[in-house]
Amino acid sequence: MAWFQSSNRKVQLPAHAQTRPVLDNDERIANDDEDAESLKLTPTDNNATEDQNRDPFMGVKVRRKASFHRNYIGDYLDVPSRPYLMKILEKQGDKKVLFADKVLKFTSTGKMKRRILLITDFAVYIVDPDIDALKRRISLAAVEKLCLSELSDNFLAIIIPTEYDLLIASTRKTEIVSVLVDATRSQSDYELEVLLSNRFEYNATSELVKEIDFEETEEGARTRIVRK
């Protein structure tokens, strides 16, 4: 069982277990609507079904109704059919793909970029699908914790103290969290911390700290990212 920590309590994660941000004046997203649309962040229904009565966030996080009935597939990209992805993994000595999907990654300036997220039993990979290039590899051992809001949104921050953090958006965030927690547990005795809070900080670069705030409105979760 992995610990989930909310702003006022902790809950445990079972062993298996969209919103656009409002940025400060220096970090307006330019021409990113096309990226968001082409990514098509929509639920997918396939293969083995997640237990509909199980809430991996133990009721602490507000979740969309569809997320309770979503199927977990893992590899949404059919990685073996993509030679350039296989070449990247083989070069790093990785063979077992636990998760693969397209996500939106936030740059240090606040722009969103389309990226492929790969999770193996040893590392997290960020790949640029436009040029078929590896942009970043993060060892699972370097990940300290995961940060999410308590609301219904798609944001996930992966905290890496020895480098800089990774902020992404994905409708499959719950599955990503479960995969990372399970993969970390299987490789070590370390239980990956999952922090649930409507305000948290992350390092956009090694020297740039930002704060992300979440607010619940009638239209849904409102997100604001500002420099500290």
Side-chain angles (χ1 to χ4, degrees), residues 130-148:
D130 295 326
I131 59 175
D132 298 346
L134 175 64
K135 303 299 290 185
R136 188 177 183 189
R137 182 183 186 273
I138 305 164
S139 170
L140 289 182
V143 179
E144 179 184 65
K145 63 183 176 181
L146 308 176
C147 294
L148 311 87

Side-chain angles (χ1 to χ4, degrees), residues 140-208:
L140 289 182
V143 179
E144 179 184 65
K145 63 183 176 181
L146 308 176
C147 294
L148 311 87
S149 80
E150 297 179 351
L151 305 179
S152 177
D153 60 79
N154 296 325
F155 290 86
L156 168 64
I158 301 176
I159 308 301
I160 309 104
T162 57
E163 304 175 21
Y164 57 94
D165 304 328
L166 176 65
L167 180 64
I168 62 173
S170 169
T171 57
R172 297 190 174 98
K173 178 177 60 178
T174 300
E175 183 173 358
I176 294 171
V177 170
S178 296
V179 168
L180 287 172
V181 169
D182 288 344
T184 301
R185 183 190 298 116
S186 67
Q187 293 300 322
S188 67
D189 295 330
Y190 177 66
E191 291 289 346
L192 188 61
E193 178 186 357
V194 181
L195 174 68
L196 297 176
S197 175
N198 289 339
R199 175 180 298 172
F200 57 80
E201 295 180 358
Y202 73 98
N203 283 80
T205 69
S206 58
E207 299 179 349
L208 176 61

Side-chain angles (χ1 to χ4, degrees), residues 20 32-41 104 112 114:
R20 290 182 62 82
D32 288 317
D33 286 336
E34 293 183 1
D35 282 352
E37 286 298 320
S38 59
L39 189 62
K40 295 181 180 179
L41 293 176
L104 289 176
M112 295 189 293
R114 292 181 301 169

Side-chain angles (χ1 to χ4, degrees), residues 210-226:
K210 292 190 177 184
E211 182 178 85
I212 181 167
D213 293 303
F214 301 86
E215 179 184 0
E216 188 169 17
T217 68
E218 293 182 357
E219 292 77 24
R222 177 184 174 88
T223 308
R224 187 166 187 264
I225 301 174
V226 297

Side-chain angles (χ1 to χ4, degrees), residues 93-94 96 98 119-124 137-141 183 187:
D94 270 337
K96 187 176 182 180
L98 305 177
I119 303 175
T120 70
D121 46 354
F122 291 105
V124 175
R137 182 183 186 273
I138 305 164
S139 170
L140 289 182
Q187 293 300 322

